[in-house]
Amino acid sequence: MLGPPYERQTIDLGTDDEGPVVATLVRRRADRPTGRAVLYVHGFTDYFFQGHLGDFFAERGWDFYALDLRKYGRSLRPHQTANFCRDLSDYFPELDAAARIIREDDGHDTLLAMGHSTGGLILPLWAHARRDAGIIDGLFLNSPFFDINAPWLVRRPLAAAVSRLGRRAPRRVLPFGLGTVYSESIHAEHHGEWNYDLTWKPLAGFPVRAGWLNAIRSAQRQLRAGLDIQVPVLLACSTRSFRGKKWHESAALADAVLDVEHMVRWAPRLGRHVTVARFDGGMHDLTLSGTAVREKVFQEVGRWADAFFDAGPTARAGERPPASRQPADEADPADAPAQGG
């Protein structure tokens, strides 16, 4: 997919009501042995394709890992409903497995978790649930999905009604979607600079289903009630949101998916040590923003990591364990874009 030096490992998660389930862990090693690692989790209608993000951390002396969650990207299979879940805790098994691989198999003693959008909602809940296990040492949230981007009547009373539908008919497709403004702002065939697989990340997104929305709403209610994440948290987002339904050049200078004020409002509910950083001209995925903005984002992340983790390259005792993964550019049926679902 990304080619060397990226590698992948399939994580077997058993079966669910649709059949076999897997997740995929992508790895990019730093040039020197290191005890520090990053675990990245993508958003909804997404998968890991941001090779420049992995390169940034690897160049700073961190081994970089990215997890394609079940039914997303490299993990999506033809028999599955794309990007669907009934509860965000459904993703905890692959997060636990990825953390075991990073810490136990690959021997890292420091782990920074990084989540974007929906991944930025999943990871805080997981970090809260595992807070006594000492699994992660820090959390970086890139435009996290803390509330539904809609007027109050929609995101509260109407969302509550949809949640009830989600419990009765979880796979019911709802009559609204993500739109194409954001995708047009980032994809190279439109107004952006990034190429990615439109089968795994369609311009208009995958259908929004009632059960998924119920899972999101339940998770957001838990977060807004307050979590107890006991490691440092960096929350980063744009300074403004774009609310137009059609693409405009200003969409490339704002978050065209979520309301950034929701992120800032609910940030203190994450834990006791939360830093908020906002970037003028930042897009929904800050790491896909224009060159000048993403350089500022990387500088801030690097400075924050230096402050809390002394993030320069470090050698760990002994040799690396032998790699058991296939190079990412080797042919593998599991990496073919999934059809249907």
Side-chain angles (χ1 to χ4, degrees):
M1 306 303 299
L2 292 169
Y6 286 89
E7 305 165 302
R8 70 173 180 279
Q9 177 176 357
T10 300
I11 300 172
D12 186 352
L13 298 169
T15 62
D16 67 3
D17 60 347
E18 293 186 320
V21 182
V22 300
T24 309
L25 189 64
V26 177
R27 180 179 67 180
R28 199 269 199 227
R29 290 189 185 274
D31 292 336
R32 294 178 55 188
T34 176
R36 299 185 174 97
V38 176
L39 174 61
Y40 171 84
V41 179
H42 55 77
F44 181 66
T45 305
D46 206 358
Y47 72 102
F48 175 66
F49 63 91
Q50 300 89 334
H52 65 292
L53 176 61
D55 295 344
F56 164 79
F57 280 104
E59 289 164 3
R60 294 188 65 85
W62 295 70
D63 284 348
F64 180 86
Y65 297 77
L67 187 64
D68 277 12
L69 299 168
R70 65 184 69 196
K71 306 184 183 184
Y72 282 85
R74 299 167 181 83
S75 308
L76 179 61
R77 299 296 183 261
H79 62 272
Q80 294 174 333
T81 304
N83 298 191
F84 179 76
C85 74
R86 287 186 172 88
D87 193 288
L88 294 196
S89 64
D90 292 349
Y91 301 120
F92 289 5
E94 53 254 60
L95 289 168
D96 292 339
R100 275 195 306 272
I101 291 168
I102 294 168
R103 283 197 174 273
E104 298 176 14
D105 296 356
D106 290 357
H108 296 91
D109 51 34
T110 300
L111 177 57
L112 169 63
M114 174 182 177
H116 166 58
S117 197
T118 303
L121 177 61
I122 297 167
L123 278 178
L125 298 182
W126 177 67
H128 172 78
R130 304 290 188 264
R131 61 190 180 278
D132 296 326
I135 296 176
I136 66 170
D137 301 283
L139 183 61
F140 169 39
L141 305 179
N142 171 5
S143 304
F145 187 15
F146 285 175
D147 210 339
I148 298 168
N149 186 12
W152 181 85
L153 286 174
V154 175
R155 69 178 190 268
R156 294 296 183 266
L158 181 58
V162 172
S163 291
R164 291 191 290 272
L165 173 63
R167 291 188 287 270
R168 298 194 306 271
R171 288 188 172 82
R172 177 79 60 84
V173 175
L174 300 177
F176 54 81
L178 301 180
T180 63
V181 171
Y182 175 59
S183 297
E184 291 177 27
S185 298
I186 60 175
H187 199 277
E189 293 180 2
H190 296 270
H191 305 284
E193 59 177 297
W194 308 100
N195 281 303
Y196 51 82
D197 192 326
L198 292 173
T199 306
W200 291 343
K201 186 175 173 61
L203 285 179
F206 288 108
V208 174
R209 298 178 184 272
W212 177 85
L213 188 60
N214 179 53
I216 292 294
R217 183 173 180 272
S218 297
Q220 291 174 340
R221 290 178 64 188
Q222 181 184 350
L223 182 143
R224 294 195 300 266
L227 304 180
D228 185 21
I229 298 173
Q230 299 179 359
V231 298
V233 180
L234 173 62
L235 186 151
C237 63
S238 183
T239 56
R240 59 187 179 274
S241 295
F242 176 83
R243 303 188 182 282
K245 302 300 183 183
K246 295 184 178 180
W247 191 88
H248 184 273
E249 59 185 13
S250 58
L253 300 171
D255 190 322
V257 179
L258 298 178
D259 187 330
V260 294
E261 300 306 325
H262 292 161
M263 305 170 199
V264 176
R265 177 182 180 185
W266 299 114
R269 301 298 178 92
L270 292 165
R272 304 173 189 176
H273 197 140
V274 181
T275 301
V276 175
R278 305 185 69 172
F279 296 90
D280 191 30
M283 301 177 72
H284 178 54
D285 184 342
L286 293 168
T287 70
L288 302 183
S289 302
T291 303
V293 176
R294 67 176 180 264
E295 286 179 357
K296 291 180 181 178
V297 172
F298 286 148
Q299 288 171 2
E300 184 65 25
V301 172
R303 185 174 67 162
W304 179 81
D306 287 345
F308 287 102
F309 309 109
D310 186 22
T314 58
R316 66 172 178 258
E319 298 294 328
R320 297 180 184 278
S324 59
R325 299 163 178 77
Q326 298 167 283
D329 59 341
E330 283 187 8
D332 185 331
D335 273 346
Q339 302 297 320

